[in-house]
Amino acid sequence: ISNTNVYVRFYNLCRTPLSTDTPVLVLVVPVGLQNTGSSVGLYQFHPAQPVNFTTGLAIRTTRLIAVADATAIEADRTIINLTYTN
């Protein structure tokens, strides 16, 4: 279903996150900024304070907002590019 938001969840883990884990940060990618096949939207997030991942960085994407949601999104819905500052 491509008419729903995508929730990108970031975890301070060095393993694959589970739906029972608690994210450190959750970003919402609105429907209008997702891949439509002919164009790709751009969503940038610049935190006011650094977000520290002292154990590791794990990412999970879901279709629903609930923390324990495990509803998968389609494979071509989101492209995630990250930069790292030490």
Side-chain angles (χ1 to χ4, degrees), residues 21-78:
D21 292 320
T22 302
V24 173
L25 175 69
V26 178
L27 300 179
V28 180
V29 182
V31 172
L33 293 179
Q34 298 167 26
N35 182 3
T36 63
S38 60
S39 66
V40 176
L42 177 64
Y43 178 78
Q44 296 182 357
F45 174 73
H46 301 281
Q49 297 291 324
V51 180
N52 294 314
F53 296 92
T54 55
T55 302
L57 174 60
I59 301 172
R60 212 167 60 91
T61 57
T62 63
R63 190 179 297 159
L64 302 175
I65 195 169
V67 172
D69 180 52
T71 309
I73 62 168
E74 296 84 352
D76 64 346
R77 289 275 305 279
T78 335

